[in-house]
Amino acid sequence: MAWLVDGRRYLGAGTALLALGSGFIIARETTPAFEPYQFALLFGLLGAGALLVHAVNPAAVRGFAGALLFTSPARR
């Protein structure tokens, strides 16, 4: 929602979270035969989102990376 309100300020984080959500939803709603490819789809959407952010607003790539770090699980 903040991405829509503030425009370019949240472009990176909004695109990263949109790509993550889209990848998980598509992987969940498809047939079980598609399950081995869910991470390929997810990383493909993240890559396309990163290229889009870099083309539109290169400074927002840091927000893209920050959103990915924020949503990544902590490993010990």
Side-chain angles (χ1 to χ4, degrees):
M1 189 63 108
W3 178 24
L4 296 174
V5 172
D6 203 8
R8 289 187 168 212
R9 182 174 176 193
Y10 295 107
L11 178 70
T15 304
L17 298 176
L18 180 68
L20 280 174
S22 299
F24 284 132
I25 288 172
I26 292 170
R28 186 184 69 189
E29 296 296 326
T30 55
T31 62
F34 191 72
E35 189 174 340
Y37 304 107
Q38 69 181 352
F39 291 113
L41 173 70
L42 182 64
F43 293 131
L45 288 173
L46 284 173
L51 289 173
L52 173 73
V53 168
H54 181 68
V56 174
N57 186 6
V61 174
R62 287 178 282 172
F64 190 93
L68 290 179
L69 288 174
F70 184 74
T71 57
S72 67
R75 304 268 180 189
R76 293 181 188 215

